[in-house]
Amino acid sequence: KASRYLAKFSRLVRNILDNSVEEYITLDREISTIENYLELQKIRYAGKFSYSLKVDENIATEEIFIPPMLCQPFIENALEHGIKHRKTPVQIEITVVLRDKNLMIEIRDDGVGRERARELEAMQQNNHQPIATSITSDRLKALNKRTKKKILFEISDMKDEDGKASGTRVRFVFPC
């Protein structure tokens, strides 16, 4: 089990290092990195979460280029905050689709939501300062300054029919 974990970890580190020197990578490489990260976390958090990764079969993942490591920090947040603040397993859904000539990547979780997570962190007097959102926003602003096609990014708390937090949605839209 330790050997399998180390092999997956080594592959993840290699993917991250390879991707970190590139401004854009293929969607195929990004999906591979996400899958490897999630499989590694499934070993770490056995039974505490499940995930689905759905990629529209009409997408040529090896022909579309996106900035690397945009999704992973939000998947990590869903895991860390969801597992910490829930008694039942967290469900993470990642979908990659084409809509109106745009590539859309959406990450949804059924955790407590960002607002409730902040409240719980404050009650525990945890000084954790989330930086994934600000780093991603800064990266995208810099990329969007240099290109005509703008990448959109939004993050929102989802609510159930009673208005209670029911998770978080992160969405990236890439013009094709």
Side-chain angles (χ1 to χ4, degrees):
K1 194 174 185 178
S3 178
R4 192 170 65 241
Y5 187 85
L6 283 172
K8 287 180 184 289
F9 182 73
S10 174
R11 190 169 35 249
L12 179 64
V13 169
R14 172 53 48 201
N15 285 348
I16 291 169
L17 287 174
D18 288 346
N19 294 347
S20 70
V21 297
E22 304 291 337
E23 191 167 51
Y24 292 92
I25 60 169
T26 63
L27 177 58
D28 191 52
R29 276 176 58 187
E30 182 71 356
I31 290 168
S32 176
T33 301
I34 290 168
E35 286 178 313
N36 193 16
Y37 174 75
L38 284 163
E39 286 302 312
L40 192 60
Q41 295 302 340
K42 281 192 76 113
I43 295 169
R44 179 179 176 204
Y45 293 120
K48 294 187 178 187
F49 81 96
S50 61
Y51 75 91
S52 65
L53 176 57
K54 298 174 188 160
V55 179
D56 183 334
E57 62 189 35
N58 297 316
I59 297 174
T61 59
E62 57 287 329
E63 296 174 14
I64 294 176
F65 288 81
I66 65 170
M69 296 297 293
L70 287 178
C71 299
Q72 185 278 335
F74 298 99
I75 296 168
E76 181 178 337
N77 281 349
L79 287 171
E80 297 295 330
H81 296 291
I83 288 170
K84 185 189 310 182
H85 299 302
R86 286 203 29 177
K87 293 180 175 71
T88 58
V90 173
Q91 171 64 35
I92 298 172
E93 298 174 8
I94 303 157
T95 55
V96 182
V97 296
L98 285 174
R99 285 224 176 104
D100 302 323
K101 298 183 183 180
N102 292 308
L103 176 75
M104 185 180 78
I105 301 176
E106 188 171 88
I107 305 157
R108 290 174 165 247
D109 69 70
D110 64 354
V112 297
R114 296 174 307 149
E115 187 177 314
R116 181 70 178 138
R118 280 191 291 270
E119 291 170 6
L120 292 167
E121 296 286 329
M123 289 185 332
Q124 295 172 355
Q125 297 179 344
N126 185 338
N127 291 331
H128 172 71
Q129 295 295 317
I131 59 171
T133 303
S134 61
I135 289 174
T136 301
S137 292
D138 291 346
R139 278 182 69 199
L140 292 177
K141 282 178 191 169
L143 283 169
N144 284 343
K145 269 187 183 176
R146 294 193 311 261
T147 62
K148 290 180 184 175
K149 296 179 178 181
K150 306 299 182 213
I151 300 167
L152 302 176
F153 162 64
E154 60 184 35
I155 184 167
S156 58
D157 287 329
M158 297 184 303
K159 308 266 188 211
D160 64 16
E161 52 277 347
D162 297 327
K164 292 170 54 178
S166 63
T168 304
R169 178 180 51 226
V170 176
R171 183 180 292 156
F172 295 96
V173 180
F174 304 89
C176 292

